[in-house]
DNA sequence: TGTACATCAGTGAACGCGCGTTCACTGATGTAC
DNA sequence: TGTACATCAGTGAACGCGCGTTCACTGATGTAC
């Protein structure tokens, strides 16, 4: 069954999309290749026509996830109200409750930290992209200070999302998200001193 | 080989200590019971004299970890200089580089979020304990505002530690830790407005 | 235009392996008589 | 005090299972002649 031009690329894209979702939802270690290929409408043996090993899929799926999520966040910021819109969208209950459609960093950072360097580098690119996106919406003019502030804002956002996902009580989980929003916006307001080696 | 009184409790403690370390270092899914029992100087079959299933060990190991780490952090705060000492110890390169001796939340939050409710509850207790510890060192007097601020401070700390652990470049990783320290201390300084639903 | 052959994405059986869990057993010690 | 028995933490073989990976094969289509 020889296939039309572009068919293989399209199949590969389907595998990456399935992997991207399931890794974020279940964690990388918990996802088996057989089930993943079934998600993509294929049998498990065909996997190795596309990737040399699971670790290669992990790395490429992280890059794939970045491609689709960077665009979504930038759109959010442009169409709505700048940084507050980004922070509120990131810390919305909807994002907390649907990790499979959400931030790969919040879902996978701790696990990816234990993976080989190229895989870590793929997730580190997400971090860079998100910090750059936040930095672009800060009023601070000094670039290093802007970057430090943006890093701080993202730390608070990511931390809040993860804590909210562990918390069982819905009210507590909501409160953590709200604290995260307040923290992100408060940090974005601080000028100058934040990034300095403080007292 | 009937054993002296207290022997079983001591063995159980050894299993919990080994589990606590290896879960934080390798992630829960990556740790096999056979290897874990070997760490404790036993063979794998004996596991079920102590725990009904792996999930029970996970839950109890998280509680065990809390017992030992809460004391360590409180000591840090008392012996050294209050909140800044807590934040700096949490975001020290030493903590980043030795997850097996560090915060269970930063190491395991995303993974535990996918576990059954009782396991999540065990980690949620860590979160409560750490927020309480931070709150006790804040100047803010209004209890709800103090709690919201403490939550925000911890979000920034935890987020920074995780981002630093993914980042490959040592300089970048250090800078993330420093941004986290600055963020934690800046948030701790904010009064009143932080916890309010802000614009 | 018709036939023979090459291509190669995808199939599905099979591989060795480690997983969590079960279970019949061991054997040093405490207890009963 | 001496003997028979109960206890039970720990042993190690075995279970079914799903994992990542390999590989001989399929078969529809493109290409060569």
């Amino acid at each position: 069954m020889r296939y039309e031009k572009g068919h293989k690329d399209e199949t590969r894209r389907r595998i990456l999309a399935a992997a991207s979702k399931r890794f974020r939802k279940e964690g990388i270690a918990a996802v088996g290749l057989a089930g993943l290929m079934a998600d993509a409408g294929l049998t498990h043996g065909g996997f190795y026509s596309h990737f040399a090993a699971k670790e290669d899929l992990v790395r490429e799926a992280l890059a794939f996830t970045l491609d689709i999520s960077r665009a979504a966040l930038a759109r959010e910021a442009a169409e709505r109200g700048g940084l507050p819109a980004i922070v509120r969208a990131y810390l919305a209950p909807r994002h907390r409750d649907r990790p499979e459609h959400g931030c790969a960093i919040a879902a996978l950072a701790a696990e990816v930290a234990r993976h080989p360097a190229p895989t870590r580098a793929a997730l580190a690119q997400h971090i860079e992209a998100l910090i750059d996106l936040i930095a672009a919406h800060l009023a601070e003019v000094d670039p290093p200070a802007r970057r430090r502030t943006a890093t701080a804002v993202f730390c608070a956002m990511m931390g809040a999302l993860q804590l909210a996902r562990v918390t069982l009580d819905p009210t507590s989980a909501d409160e953590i998200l709200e604290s995260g929003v307040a923290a992100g916006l408060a940090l974005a307001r601080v000028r100058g001193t934040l990034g300095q080696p403080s007292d």
Side-chain angles (χ1 to χ4, degrees), chain A:
Chain A
M1 43 180 116
R2 196 124 170 239
Y3 300 91
E4 69 235 59
K5 194 157 158 302
H7 171 93
K8 191 178 182 184
D9 280 355
E10 200 280 328
T11 302
R12 182 189 171 87
R13 224 208 89 270
R14 243 184 314 128
I15 298 169
L16 286 169
S20 170
K21 273 182 72 168
R22 295 201 44 194
F23 286 161
R24 283 178 282 170
K25 179 171 190 171
E26 302 164 35
I28 296 164
V31 176
L33 295 182
L36 194 58
M37 291 300 280
D39 282 2
L42 300 165
T43 53
H44 61 279
F47 176 81
Y48 296 89
S49 301
H50 294 276
F51 304 96
K54 187 188 181 184
E55 196 62 37
D56 292 82
L57 169 66
V58 173
R59 181 171 28 75
E60 298 211 37
L62 289 175
F64 177 87
T65 310
L66 175 58
D67 287 343
I68 57 173
S69 70
R70 177 152 49 182
L73 267 170
R75 203 180 321 119
E76 188 81 30
E79 290 180 7
R80 317 248 288 248
L83 186 64
I86 295 176
V87 176
R88 289 213 180 81
Y90 194 93
L91 293 173
R94 178 184 170 83
H95 188 194
R96 174 194 62 202
D97 298 335
R98 299 161 77 239
E100 70 273 23
H101 295 103
C103 177
I105 305 164
L108 301 173
E111 185 170 11
V112 169
R114 301 171 197 120
H115 276 250
T119 308
R120 288 170 62 195
L123 194 65
Q125 281 195 29
H126 284 244
I127 297 173
E128 291 299 307
L130 268 164
I131 290 175
D132 286 349
L133 179 69
I134 293 167
H137 289 87
L138 293 176
E140 170 66 59
V141 289
D142 177 48
R146 192 163 64 217
R147 187 175 179 78
R148 283 189 291 258
T149 302
T151 302
V153 170
F154 183 57
C155 288
M157 289 165 62
M158 205 273 269
L161 187 59
Q162 284 208 16
L163 295 188
R165 281 180 177 161
V166 178
T167 302
L168 285 161
D169 175 52
T171 308
S172 299
D174 287 349
E175 285 171 2
I176 292 170
L177 293 180
E178 282 161 26
S179 288
V181 171
L185 299 183
L187 288 167
R189 264 185 247 119
V190 177
R191 287 295 173 285
T193 53
L194 177 69
Q196 308 309 322
S198 49
D199 55 308

